[in-house]
Amino acid sequence: MNDLHAIDVWQWKGRVHAVIYHSARGDADMDLETMFKVYGEDKCWHEVNKGYTYHRDDKNVRLWCSAMPAIGVGTVEYMTADSEAKRMVEHGG
């Protein structure tokens, strides 16, 4: 981490399942293109919500952006488990 960049790495079940990059001087187009290349594994990305949410062709990885200068990728396995856990908590499970 430095004044320009920070990286959060989320581990679950002994593996990295998400990486979030924060950049004080991010370039949205360049950052998105870089993430597609680095995490794409030579697969295509499909737009879910233009400029915000994408999923990789194999549907194993999602990429998301936010209004703040942050961009992340995560496995669908982790994202699904996280959503289910939040739903259980909200419904008293």
Side-chain angles (χ1 to χ4, degrees):
M1 183 169 119
N2 62 36
D3 290 343
L4 298 177
H5 300 87
I7 300 171
D8 293 322
V9 177
W10 300 350
Q11 289 185 314
W12 179 59
K13 293 185 175 182
R15 291 184 33 222
V16 171
H17 280 269
V19 180
I20 295 81
Y21 296 90
H22 307 269
S23 177
R25 295 187 194 163
D27 175 317
D29 292 332
M30 183 180 73
D31 292 348
L32 189 56
E33 194 59 37
T34 299
M35 295 294 275
F36 286 153
K37 287 179 186 173
V38 171
Y39 294 97
E41 296 183 358
D42 295 323
K43 294 175 179 55
C44 293
W45 289 91
H46 299 277
E47 183 179 275
V48 176
N49 187 358
K50 185 172 177 63
Y52 293 99
T53 314
Y54 301 83
H55 66 82
R56 201 170 66 189
D57 211 22
D58 61 6
K59 296 190 172 61
N60 291 327
V61 176
R62 289 185 186 156
L63 184 145
W64 65 92
C65 309
S66 68
M68 55 186 274
I71 189 167
V73 294
T75 64
V76 170
E77 177 187 14
Y78 173 79
M79 298 301 159
T80 300
D82 184 57
S83 292
E84 288 174 7
K86 286 177 184 173
R87 247 189 319 272
M88 286 177 61
V89 169
E90 289 173 0
H91 297 349

